[in-house]
Every structure is written in structure tokens, then in C-alpha cells.
Amino acid sequence: MAITVDIEKCIGCKLCVRACAQDAIEIVEKKAVIDLAKCNYCGACVDACKKYGAITIARENAAEGIDTDSFRNVAVFIEQHEGDIAGVSFEILGEGRLLADEFGEKLIAVVLGNGMRDKAGELVKYGADKVVYLDGPDLAVFRDDTYAQLVSDFIHAEKPNVFLAGATAVGRSFIPKVAARVYGGLTADCTKLEVDREKRLLLQTRPAFGGNLMATIITPRHRPQMATVRHKVMKPAKLDPSRTGEFEVRTIAGGSIAERTKIVDIVKEVESTVNITEADIIVSGGRGMNGPDNFALIRDLAEVLGGAVGASRAAVDAGWIPYSHQVGQTGKTVCPKLYVACGISGAVQHQAGMQSSDYIIAINKDPDADIFQIANLGIVGDLFQVVPALTDSFRKELGH
Amino acid sequence: MNIVVCIKQVPGTTQVKVNPDTGTLIRDSVEAVLNPFDEYAVEEALRIKEKQGGTVRVITMGPPQAESALRQAIAMGADEAWLISDAAFAGSDTWATSYTVSRGIRALGEFDLVVCGKQAIDGDTAQVGPGVAEMLGIPFVAWVRKIDDISGTSLRVERLMEDGYDVVELPLPSLITVVKEINEPRMASLKGKMRAKKADIRTLTAADLGADAARLGLKGSPTQVLRSFVPEKKTGGEKISGDVPELVTKLKSTIQELGVIK
Ligand SMILES: Cc1cc2nc3c(=O)[nH]c(=O)nc-3n(C[C@H](O)[C@H](O)[C@H](O)COP(=O)(O)OP(=O)(O)OC[C@H]3O[C@@H](n4cnc5c(N)ncnc54)[C@H](O)[C@@H]3O)c2cc1C
Ligand SMILES: Cc1cc2nc3c(=O)[nH]c(=O)nc-3n(C[C@H](O)[C@H](O)[C@H](O)COP(=O)(O)OP(=O)(O)OC[C@H]3O[C@@H](n4cnc5c(N)ncnc54)[C@H](O)[C@@H]3O)c2cc1C
């Protein structure tokens, strides 16, 4: 790969300098000079220079050493908690099916668990052509070494072209270890996956810079093409009771894998039982709540809507609600169908965690609050009046 | 306790703004800083050292300018700073970064614990920590929000999960990535800043790492950024004000029309 500036075409306009997120371009004697030690070949400058066409990137696509054609099929890692399959896993089954059809390949699901044979077998009805279920006492809960080892072994054996997992606390902690072992390309937290059929490439699009920049990533010469996928973005697979497929069960004997970490305890810590990354509806409170007791207003509305409770960092830092409820750049990224922001100004760091929600309602007394710039419906008003009245009105209607 | 902290220099992200005319990132006058998540990592290392003695070394792979992030860590109290820098590293993805950083850590000699931030606020992948652990061949736990106990041979931590936390024990040497909840990073003292100014930054080049050249930089990176673009900004929809009953009626009908209530 090489990036070049055509001195004849460059007019020294600095558009590229401003476009560069790596601070890698300088104008020297009215010509752009690219610092190769900083450049990451993202192409932002090429786009910025469209008018003059002075910057070009030559990308090599020759496969060196790795026979990419020998890797076939789309594999998905199925995450389970206490034997229940995680919501995101149905989404990657749905997406995996689409990708497999586009590549003209099979969809293989790999499940690690203990005593959940029936649920694992069911996955063929959710679109898998083959399910590999690894069953054993050490696989019941997530353990770093065991999961990394078994999934790496699975990849070595099956040689999939594509490998997907949920971008969850579990997925994002052990899939990078698997990628390190198998020398696969791993794209983090994808929100869109497309196929370039001719080149047999997966085009993986993901947010970076706290959501301010989107990047499309490819893995040209290595296999598998691996990605973790953000929850609530892809459509979940639908149950088709008539579907059939292969089901392979392998027993992993207790103590057969060297595990260096030991799980001493698993503690649940959310106020309500709804995990905010799984919720379809989130009602969030910010500094405008003015104190811990007032969060009851948020909880009541969330409850009547059947949703979960979120918060801005200001509310968390004030100690009004535990950190596990924080939405934003340094909290959780959520994509519910409905996000209701109450007394939240809409700082970029908060937006980074919720801007891809399907529908956003903001309740704020300041008509100029930034949150209104991304809200589908903005309510300029006092939350202490609007929120309880709304809760009451739903209560009456739904008869709670 | 000999601790190594991996850090990255990033743009101060709050200033990342989009030019509405050209749709590109405005980078004028954006100063480069120590990745905020790595401040928690440096702080936690310093706290362990203060209790148990030992050393805190910070290491980064980056261009020569990344030296200023190392000095920021020295100002907080780190003992030694190492810069892994070479044109051969340009274009590294998380795989090649993990490989290079792991070789750099090996080059420092003995260590008991490696601490990384949860993620860098520019690349946002959170993949380098686990990658380095795997390439060093040491145990790993992500998202550490509290160190319950640390002795000469083992570590007990709380790992933040979506719906609570796990208590995990692991032997040393090992690698952890830390989240914001773990501590409140200190401000650098005046004395620290003076020390940082004068501190020796040690450098490692590709040749010093004894690394496989085929695994470095662009050539060693499985992933490539094909293109990057600024996402379409959501534009605000309707904004209404008025009587509370009116607002409630509007809200209620809107929510009901979405069909999200079960
Ligand atoms: C590196 C970094 C990371 C960060 N990460 C996060 C993160 O993950 N999540 C996050 O949320 N923030 C994060 N922040 C903080 C962020 O910048 C903001 O400070 C924070 O989001 C503000 O929270 P807020 O909107 O609740 O408070 P404020 O900005 O103070 O807004 C309060 C709002 O409430 C409104 N209000 C007050 N009273 C009423 C009323 N009675 N009725 C209606 N409206 C009312 C006000 O008009 C105001 O708009 C981060 C900051 C940094 C620097
Ligand atoms: C827009 C964009 C998208 C990208 N997407 C991907 C992708 O999906 N997959 C991929 O493989 N690469 C990707 N890259 C490349 C990736 O950003 C770089 O490899 C980068 O060097 C490390 O990744 P990160 O910034 O995400 O760090 P993270 O993995 O988020 O960093 C976690 C921790 O690792 C440590 N660390 C990180 N970098 C260094 C360093 N240079 N020196 C020492 N310690 C360090 C720090 O403790 C840090 O807190 C992308 C780059 C860009 C510009």
C-alpha cells in the first residue's frame, strides 16, 4: 500500500490537512506532505481532495501466503447466559444467514454451554445449516482461556471465511484473543456488514472516534474475516419450525482445558431486571433530575412502558444511580427502539452512546439544548410536570 | 511489584467537530493527549506501587510525537517511559499493534502485571489489551472496575459485565484492562511536571524488538481501513412546547404509534 501526492495537481489548499484525523499532513512550500509514520491510509484526504484528485492510495490485493479460497462458510459464536441464548446471537444468526446466502456458503453456529442440548439444536430452525454444540461443566459460564481455546480450535477445524460474534462484554474480551491466535482480521463493534462478492470480501462498517467517524474495514489477505457486531442493529433470525440441518454435539470433559482464571463469584447489580443493552425501551435521567429521589419518576415511567432505566454521566457521577446504567462514550452503547432522555442536555459523549436509537424523545426545559438536534420528538417543558403526567396517563390506560 | 502500563496518544476527542460544508473532521488546533482510559490505568498502577513498592513503566507504540503522552504519565508519577517507534510500524491495525507492543514489553525484561485502558477513544476497538495478553501468553481479564486483592503471586479483581460484575482470580504475571469506575486519576503535581520535562524517554526500534518483520505495520495487519466517512447527522424532528396536558397527549400518541409497548 502506498499513498502519494501528485505535486502537479496539489494547489496547497489545506482541505486534506483538515480532513486528516491522524494529523499526518502538512503543507510545505504550498504542497501537501504526508507523514507516513502517522498516516493510517484511511482515505479521508483522498475524499477531501476529490476536486483536484492530487492524492491517491494504491492498495495491493494480492494474497500472500494464505490460501483465502480454502476458507469457506460463515460461522457465528452463540453467547449464552445461564443456558439462555443472548438476544444478540439471534441477530448475528439473522445477519449470518444473509451473508452466507450472498457468499453462496453455509451458516455454522458454535455454542459453548452445559446441559443445553435442546436449545442449541433449535438453532437450525433459526437459520443455521450446522450447529456445533460443545458441552461440558467448564463451559457453563464464560471463562477466558477455555472459550478462547475452544473457539480457536473450532476455527482451525472448520476454516470459516467469516466469523461473527456479539460485541458484548464477553465477545469483546475473548474474540480478540482468538483473532490473535488464528491471525484473523477483527473489526470491532460493527453496525453494518456487506459483501463484495467478486473479491469475496466482507465490508465491515463501524463507528470510531466516539461515533463521529464511520470506517469501512476489510480483511484482504487473512482469514477468517472476523467481526464483533453491535447489539440491536441487525434483524434477529425468525423461527422456522420446518428447517432442518446438521447438529453435532461434542463433550468437553471437566478439567481438560488449562484455565488460568478462576470465577469466584457472579454478582447481578442492575436495579431493575432489565439489562439496558437488551432493552427495547430506555428512559434516561440526567442532571435535570436534581437528586436521587427524583429518579423514582424515571423508574415509574420505565416500568409502565416495560423499559429499562438509563442515565447520563452527570447523574451517575452525582451518585444518584449506579454506573451500570450510564449511557455514553464511557458508559454503555444502546440501540433501543425508543430512547426517552429526561433532563439530559445531549453532550456529544452522551450522544455517542444513544444516537443510533430508532426513535428519540427528549424532554428538556431549555429549547436550545443539544439533545433536540437528534431527537425525533422534542418536548420543551418541565420534566417534573410532564413525566409524572405521562406515567399517570399510561397507567390509567393500561390499567396498572 | 513491577508494573507495565500500555498507553496511547489520542486526539482530545471532545474537540473533534465536523465541518458542515465539507463533511470532514475539523482537526485544527486539536491537541494530542494521553488516552483518558489510560489515565485510569496509570493511576491504578501508581496506587499498587504506593502500597507494595516496585516500579511503574509506561510504554507506547507511536510516532516520535507520542513522547508527550509518555511525559504526561511521568508527570503523574510513572518511573520510566518507553517509546516504540519506527517507520516500519506505520499502518498497524490492532493485530500488528498488539504484536509490536507485546514484543516491546518483552524487551523490558521481567514484569508482574500489565495494565491497559479499556479502549482508545479514537480507534475505539478495545482489542489491543486482549491481543497483547495473548501474544505475551499471560492470563487476561477485561473491564476491571476494582482490584480486591493483589499479592506477589495472584490477583483478585471485579470484572464489569452488562448486568453486574464477576469476581475473578488470576495468577501473576497477567494483564488487565481497566474501566473508568476503578479510580479517580490524580492531577500531575508541579514536581511531577518538572520531572516529566527532564525525563529520559527510552526508545525501541523494530531492530530492538527482534520481531518478525512480516508481522509489523501495514504488511503485518490483517485489516485495512477501506474508507472512512462522517455519519449522517440525525436531524432533529418536531420540537413542541405548550400546556402539560397537550404535551402528554402528543407524547402518548407518538409512543403508542411506535408500537413498542408490549
Ligand atoms: C472523556 C469524557 C467522557 C464522557 N462520557 C460520558 C458518558 O459516557 N455519558 C454521559 O452522559 N456523559 C459523558 N461525559 C460527560 C458529558 O460531557 C456531559 O457532561 C454529561 O453528559 C452531562 O450530563 P447531563 O446532560 O445530565 O447534564 P447537563 O449537561 O447539566 O444537562 C442537564 C439538562 O437538564 C435540563 N433540565 C434541568 N432541569 C430540568 C427540568 N426541570 N425539566 C426539564 N429539563 C431540565 C437542563 O436544561 C439541561 O439541558 C463525558 C465527558 C468526557 C470529557
Ligand atoms: C477509524 C478507524 C477504525 C479502525 N478499526 C479497526 C478495527 O476494527 N480493527 C482493527 O484491527 N484495527 C482498526 N483500526 C486500527 C487501530 O485503531 C489501530 O491499530 C490502533 O493502533 C489500536 O487500536 P485502538 O485505537 O482501537 O486501541 P484499543 O484496542 O481500543 O486500545 C486499548 C488499550 O490498548 C493499549 N494501546 C492501544 N494502542 C496502543 C499503542 N499504540 N501503544 C501502547 N498501548 C496501546 C492502551 O492501553 C489502550 O487503552 C482502526 C483505525 C481507524 C482510524
Side-chain angles (χ1 to χ4, degrees):
Chain A
M1 191 135 73
I3 184 161
T4 44
V5 179
D6 184 338
I7 304 287
E8 301 287 307
K9 292 182 181 163
C10 177
I11 60 154
C13 70
K14 291 195 189 165
L15 277 176
C16 55
V17 176
R18 283 190 209 112
C20 179
Q22 303 301 316
D23 213 3
I25 314 181
E26 244 186 310
I27 302 291
V28 180
E29 291 172 10
K30 299 208 170 143
K31 302 287 167 194
V33 176
I34 297 171
D35 181 346
L36 296 182
K38 288 187 187 172
C39 173
N40 67 358
Y41 304 86
C42 74
C45 56
V46 179
D47 290 345
C49 188
K50 238 183 251 155
K51 188 165 163 201
Y52 307 103
I55 309 177
T56 44
I57 297 182
R59 298 179 194 273
E60 66 230 55
N61 46 17
E64 294 162 23
I66 301 161
D67 175 15
T68 54
D69 280 341
S70 68
F71 286 76
R72 294 253 156 218
N73 302 324
V74 174
V76 293
F77 169 75
I78 302 296
E79 183 171 335
Q80 54 85 19
H81 294 270
E82 297 170 17
D84 287 332
I85 290 166
V88 68
S89 297
F90 290 103
E91 292 161 19
I92 56 172
L93 274 167
E95 184 69 15
R97 181 71 261 163
L98 297 176
L99 298 175
D101 290 344
E102 283 216 49
F103 278 116
E105 296 178 343
K106 287 187 182 150
L107 177 65
I108 308 174
V110 57
V111 192
L112 278 61
N114 190 30
M116 50 177 293
R117 198 190 161 107
D118 292 349
K119 277 191 184 152
E122 278 270 290
L123 296 174
V124 294
K125 298 185 177 144
Y126 286 93
D129 297 307
K130 174 172 163 186
V131 175
V132 177
Y133 172 47
L134 308 182
D135 180 85
D138 299 339
L139 279 46
V141 297
F142 167 58
R143 297 162 88 216
D144 268 279
D145 291 330
T146 306
Y147 273 46
Q149 165 96 47
L150 289 172
V151 172
S152 302
D153 291 350
F154 166 85
I155 289 176
H156 283 308
E158 295 284 346
K159 297 181 77 183
N161 177 25
V162 169
F163 182 91
L164 309 177
T168 57
V170 167
R172 291 187 82 179
S173 64
F174 92 99
I175 299 294
K177 298 193 3 162
V178 173
R181 285 194 195 198
V182 305
Y183 212 159
L186 177 59
T187 306
D189 203 19
C190 297
T191 53
K192 190 169 177 188
L193 298 172
E194 293 158 295
V195 168
D196 178 337
R197 236 187 291 183
E198 205 178 301
K199 299 197 181 115
R200 286 189 76 229
L201 286 183
L202 186 63
L203 308 182
Q204 309 157 104
T205 300
R206 59 173 301 252
F209 283 84
N212 286 313
L213 192 71
M214 302 296 291
T216 301
I217 314 276
I218 51 169
T219 297
R221 292 169 283 121
H222 295 68
R223 291 294 176 273
Q225 309 177 66
M226 304 173 70
T228 59
V229 175
R230 187 175 283 191
H231 194 13
K232 297 266 169 196
V233 180
M234 317 279 173
K235 288 214 167 52
K238 289 214 174 71
L239 177 75
D240 173 359
S242 65
R243 255 193 126 262
T244 54
E246 260 180 89
F247 184 40
E248 193 180 308
V249 182
R250 260 179 257 157
T251 308
I252 308 294
S256 61
I257 294 167
E259 175 65 59
R260 294 165 298 184
T261 67
K262 187 173 144 207
I263 307 292
V264 180
D265 201 2
I266 297 177
V267 183
K268 302 269 178 257
E269 215 189 19
V270 264
E271 279 192 1
S272 55
T273 51
V274 197
N275 167 354
I276 63 168
T277 57
E278 293 273 346
D280 281 338
I281 300 178
I282 296 174
V283 185
S284 277
R287 201 195 312 270
M289 296 313 298
N290 247 333
D293 301 339
N294 298 330
F295 253 86
L297 301 176
I298 299 290
R299 280 185 210 107
D300 289 347
L301 180 58
E303 196 194 334
V304 74
L305 296 177
V309 175
S312 73
R313 173 159 160 184
V316 171
D317 284 352
W320 301 343
I321 183 161
Y323 172 68
S324 45
H325 294 259
Q326 182 179 317
V327 173
Q329 191 184 11
T330 47
K332 287 186 175 134
T333 304
V334 297
C335 288
K337 296 195 173 118
L338 171 63
Y339 189 89
V340 187
C342 309
I344 293 177
S345 62
V348 286
Q349 298 89 354
H350 189 78
Q351 289 188 17
M354 46 66 76
Q355 63 196 359
S356 37
S357 305
D358 288 351
Y359 198 91
I360 298 169
I361 294 178
I363 304 175
N364 197 306
K365 67 179 182 188
D366 173 8
D368 297 325
D370 287 337
I371 192 81
F372 289 131
Q373 286 171 16
I374 59 159
N376 301 80
L377 175 62
I379 300 288
V380 184
D382 182 0
L383 74 92
F384 292 105
Q385 292 177 14
V386 177
V387 173
L390 182 62
T391 306
D392 272 353
S393 143
F394 270 115
R395 270 213 183 108
K396 277 189 201 118
E397 169 132 350
L398 301 169
H400 292 287
Chain B
M1 194 76 44
N2 290 317
I3 308 172
V4 178
V5 184
C6 301
I7 67 167
K8 186 183 181 192
Q9 186 179 52
V10 298
T13 210
T14 43
Q15 291 128 301
V16 175
K17 291 224 171 72
V18 178
N19 180 332
D21 299 328
T22 61
T24 49
L25 285 180
I26 300 172
R27 304 273 311 170
D28 290 347
S29 78
V30 174
E31 109 194 89
V33 297
L34 173 60
N35 176 32
F37 285 108
D38 298 345
E39 288 185 28
Y40 301 104
V42 173
E43 175 65 34
E44 201 57 26
L46 293 174
R47 289 185 189 192
I48 297 169
K49 179 193 152 184
E50 280 157 9
K51 270 199 218 124
Q52 315 224 345
T55 56
V56 174
R57 287 175 286 184
V58 287
I59 188 164
T60 190
M61 178 199 86
Q65 303 87 312
E67 160 183 336
S68 71
L70 290 168
R71 290 195 193 278
Q72 239 180 297
I74 297 260
M76 285 175 73
D79 300 296
E80 257 177 41
W82 292 81
L83 175 66
I84 322 171
S85 198
D86 197 307
F89 305 144
S92 294
D93 75 348
T94 62
W95 201 100
T97 302
S98 303
Y99 177 68
T100 308
V101 173
S102 72
R103 299 299 308 180
I105 294 172
R106 279 273 174 254
L108 303 188
E110 300 266 300
F111 62 88
D112 299 300
L113 178 67
V114 181
V115 189
C116 291
K118 172 196 170 209
Q119 68 191 59
I121 60 163
D122 51 353
D124 268 349
T125 67
Q127 290 177 178
V128 172
V132 171
E134 193 59 32
M135 290 175 187
L136 286 171
I138 59 176
F140 167 73
V141 174
W143 333 126
V144 171
R145 65 163 211 181
K146 189 168 173 233
I147 295 182
D148 284 338
D149 193 28
I150 180 164
S151 72
T153 55
S154 73
L155 182 66
R156 182 203 280 249
V157 300
E158 290 180 11
R159 168 173 63 199
L160 185 70
M161 302 299 277
E162 275 101 2
D163 54 357
Y165 63 94
D166 297 343
V167 181
V168 187
E169 250 171 37
L170 61 167
L172 296 173
S174 54
L175 186 149
I176 58 173
T177 69
V178 301
V179 297
K180 158 190 175 273
E181 243 195 338
I182 196 164
N183 59 42
E184 191 68 54
R186 68 195 62 187
M187 304 286 276
S189 66
L190 198 61
K191 206 169 126 216
K193 284 183 187 157
M194 298 294 290
R195 208 171 74 80
K197 243 186 213 158
K198 283 184 273 170
D200 229 4
I201 305 288
R202 298 155 208 241
T203 53
L204 294 167
T205 62
D208 298 325
L209 301 182
D212 172 2
R215 298 179 173 219
L216 298 177
L218 257 184
K219 207 165 153 221
S221 294
T223 71
Q224 286 177 11
V225 182
L226 181 66
R227 65 194 150 92
S228 57
F229 54 98
V230 173
E232 262 178 55
K233 265 269 164 213
K234 271 203 174 177
T235 42
E238 221 182 328
K239 188 162 79 177
I240 57 168
S241 53
D243 288 349
V244 173
E246 254 172 62
L247 296 176
V248 168
T249 309
K250 173 73 184 170
L251 272 168
K252 200 167 146 205
S253 62
T254 304
I255 294 173
Q256 281 170 333
E257 273 161 33
L258 290 175
V260 290
I261 305 179
K262 293 207 177 87

